[in-house]
Amino acid sequence: MENLALFYPTSHQAHYQPGHPERPQRVEAIREAFIEAGLWDGFQHLEPLALSAADLKHVHEPSYLARLENACAHGSHMDLDTYTTPQSWQLALNAAGGAAATAEAVWGGAIRRGLALTRPPGHHATSQRAMGFCLLNNIAIAADYLLRHKSAARLAIVDLDLHHGNGTQEIFWERGDVFYISTHQYPYYPGTGALNETGAGAGQRTTANFPLPPMSGDAAFAAIMDEAILPLLDRYAPEMLLVSYGFDTHWRDSLGHLQLSARGYADLITRLANWADANCQGRVALFLEGGYDLPAAGACSLGVAAALTGQAWTDSLGPAPYPESEGWKAVLREAKRIWDIGER
Ligand SMILES: [Zn+2]
């Protein structure tokens, strides 16, 4: 049996605003599901790395970091829907440090797979601003940490959240050392992530977007993974896969209209893990982003943990009870044209 390195954000409950969907119960539902399944104690639990100011400043502007720390001290909002509390600065540092610890544990090879329950989440945070419930961009900081400290040269971030990870895209837009790939509902918050957004400068053609119409589900994700994402990974040849794990793509989630099931999610992670086994020493780590339905939190997390460790499991929530729209087929066709991917 393969093991799983897990980061749990101790004390994260102090980042909380009454009535806000980005609430501590999201992570606690995952923890409880793992405990109930008898898995929690079998994971290798990780402590967050103490990141240096330079580690943060390589991803976020110094002026933004100062603004964020100050806002947290006062518990003020960063924008309309992005709150802070006096504990949020330390908790954001913990989440970013936990992401880096998870990436490092998997990179080093002691353990093949990682799951970081990063909260506050990160993928909307740009180099210069907090937004979409995100303060520090955890996955970007983790990837950059490997590139700067661990002799990594080429990494891929696959973002399976409901929303486009505009922050991650912006941070690596002009960098060729990280290939950012995202599936997301579109048009939708935050508005970015069109097919023709493919990077610039040294990062030209190292950003790939798959903007999906509402009601895209398991079949859409499976086809895009097999026919586009895996071929793009073949071409780029990353040394590790970092996955933005948002379970707001699940059909039960009230914030979006994609129709992925927990089984469908796990199957995507199985494909990525199999790709990693064949091409990059099995290195895969997941980093929590969004996801607001608590039963989906449990089912998706049990599913992806099973997929990461090659275990069997049962999807207690089943497939989406609605028919899947087929609008995604045109998106996939156009993506294959843009990326010059032939029939396999
Ligand atoms: Zn999201």
Side-chain angles (χ1 to χ4, degrees), residues 123-124 132-133 161-164 246-249 255 289-292:
H123 75 150
H124 294 305
F133 319 160
D161 191 273
L162 167 75
H163 303 95
H164 182 239
F247 54 86
D248 40 10
T249 32
L255 264 63
E289 303 288 0
Y292 306 95

Side-chain angles (χ1 to χ4, degrees), residues 218-230:
D218 289 357
F221 279 91
I224 288 167
M225 180 61 70
D226 289 342
E227 296 179 38
I229 294 177
L230 296 182

Side-chain angles (χ1 to χ4, degrees), residues 160-163 183 185 188 215-218 221 245-266 268 290-304 313-322:
L160 301 175
D161 191 273
L162 167 75
H163 303 95
T183 54
Q185 183 171 333
Y188 206 56
M215 309 306 282
S216 300
D218 289 357
F221 279 91
Y245 165 50
F247 54 86
D248 40 10
T249 32
H250 191 273
W251 61 264
R252 279 183 56 99
D253 202 280
S254 58
L255 264 63
H257 313 92
L258 296 183
Q259 301 295 319
L260 194 58
S261 67
R263 169 66 60 195
Y265 214 127
L268 297 176
Y292 306 95
D293 181 76
L294 300 183
C300 289
S301 299
L302 289 172
V304 300
W313 69 288
T314 303
D315 179 2
S316 59
L317 300 177
Y322 320 104

Side-chain angles (χ1 to χ4, degrees), residues 19-339:
H20 197 286
E22 203 295 280
R23 59 204 194 280
Q25 288 86 346
R26 302 174 54 241
V27 162
E28 291 310 296
I30 296 172
R31 181 168 174 267
E32 285 158 18
F34 284 146
I35 290 172
E36 202 170 303
L39 298 171
W40 185 256
D41 292 333
F43 296 144
Q44 179 185 320
H45 290 261
L46 301 172
E47 293 296 320
L49 296 183
L51 297 170
S52 70
D55 292 333
L56 300 175
K57 287 175 181 172
H58 209 248
V59 171
H60 293 289
E61 295 281 341
S63 61
Y64 166 65
L65 294 166
R67 200 163 69 246
L68 175 62
E69 186 172 10
N70 185 54
C72 293
H74 297 92
S76 49
H77 274 62
M78 296 301 292
D79 72 7
L80 203 58
D81 54 18
T82 309
Y83 66 89
T84 71
T85 70
Q87 291 79 27
S88 297
W89 172 250
Q90 186 57 48
L91 293 172
L93 291 178
N94 283 359
T102 305
E104 182 185 51
V106 173
W107 177 262
I111 199 147
R112 283 150 67 86
R113 322 284 202 212
L115 173 59
L117 300 181
T118 30
R119 181 176 182 274
H123 75 150
H124 294 305
T126 73
S127 60
Q128 301 177 57
R129 65 177 291 211
M131 58 183 281
F133 319 160
C134 297
L135 304 181
L136 296 178
N137 196 315
N138 305 307
I139 197 168
I141 289 169
D144 191 64
Y145 185 88
L146 294 183
L147 293 162
R148 294 175 62 241
H149 295 294
K150 297 290 162 185
S151 74
R154 300 166 74 78
L155 303 173
I157 293 176
V158 181
D159 189 328
L160 301 175
D161 191 273
L162 167 75
H163 303 95
H164 182 239
N166 61 298
T168 315
Q169 172 171 295
E170 182 257 357
I171 287 163
F172 296 115
W173 184 251
E174 295 189 31
R175 286 175 57 171
D177 51 2
V178 174
F179 196 159
Y180 177 71
I181 302 172
S182 177
T183 54
H184 46 271
Q185 183 171 333
Y186 187 89
Y188 206 56
Y189 183 88
T192 47
L195 273 164
N196 63 3
E197 294 170 27
T198 57
Q204 205 155 40
R205 290 178 77 76
T206 58
T207 292
N209 284 299
F210 298 90
L212 298 172
M215 309 306 282
S216 300
D218 289 357
F221 279 91
I224 288 167
M225 180 61 70
D226 289 342
E227 296 179 38
I229 294 177
L230 296 182
L232 288 173
L233 292 176
D234 286 340
R235 199 180 288 176
Y236 184 74
E239 299 158 302
M240 177 170 164
L241 304 182
L242 295 88
V243 179
S244 267
Y245 165 50
F247 54 86
D248 40 10
T249 32
H250 191 273
W251 61 264
R252 279 183 56 99
D253 202 280
S254 58
L255 264 63
H257 313 92
L258 296 183
Q259 301 295 319
L260 194 58
S261 67
R263 169 66 60 195
Y265 214 127
D267 287 348
L268 297 176
I269 300 302
T270 295
R271 287 167 162 89
L272 291 173
N274 288 343
W275 188 92
D277 284 341
N279 295 284
C280 61
Q281 300 172 47
R283 291 167 174 153
V284 183
L286 272 54
F287 303 82
L288 184 63
E289 303 288 0
Y292 306 95
D293 181 76
L294 300 183
C300 289
S301 299
L302 289 172
V304 300
L308 287 171
T309 55
Q311 305 293 301
W313 69 288
T314 303
D315 179 2
S316 59
L317 300 177
Y322 320 104
E324 181 166 344
S325 114
E326 302 213 326
W328 58 270
K329 290 183 176 174
V331 175
L332 178 56
R333 243 188 338 265
E334 180 62 7
K336 287 164 94 168
R337 188 192 65 75
I338 288 172
W339 289 95

